[in-house]
Amino acid sequence: MITNSPLQTTSIHYLQGGGEMGQLTREFDWSKTVLGPPEGWSQSLLTTISIILNSRFPMFLWWGPELIQFYNDAYRPSLGAKWQAS
């Protein structure tokens, strides 16, 4: 039987929704980055990402000394043709 820890459930809750970028954020293997898995992310980061992913306005965040970028679907057109929907 697999059970989720309260912290894991909380991090998953904050990363719900958010269209395609929300899905990509949830599916990405964060354990291979300096941030580590979302279960270890700060409340501030989780809250901010939730706001960004669920907003219809273009939003992005550069986080930490490595300037890891999070952004939402509305921001993607700002990145140019690479991220345009086909």
Side-chain angles (χ1 to χ4, degrees), residues 22-42:
Q23 180 179 354
L24 291 171
T25 301
R26 287 186 298 277
E27 293 174 355
F28 188 77
D29 185 1
W30 292 101
S31 66
K32 295 180 180 179
T33 72
V34 296
L35 288 179
E39 296 81 29
W41 294 358
S42 71

Side-chain angles (χ1 to χ4, degrees), residues 46-67:
L46 289 169
T47 300
T48 303
I49 292 173
S50 179
I51 292 167
I52 289 170
L53 291 177
N54 290 290
S55 176
R56 289 187 278 179
F57 294 96
M59 299 177 82
F60 72 94
L61 168 70
W62 285 331
W63 186 265
E66 298 81 10
L67 299 176

Side-chain angles (χ1 to χ4, degrees), residues 1 6-7 14 20 27 38 42 45 51 60 62 65 78 86:
M1 176 178 182
L7 187 55
Y14 281 96
E20 189 174 356
E27 293 174 355
S42 71
L45 179 57
I51 292 167
F60 72 94
W62 285 331
S78 303
S86 7

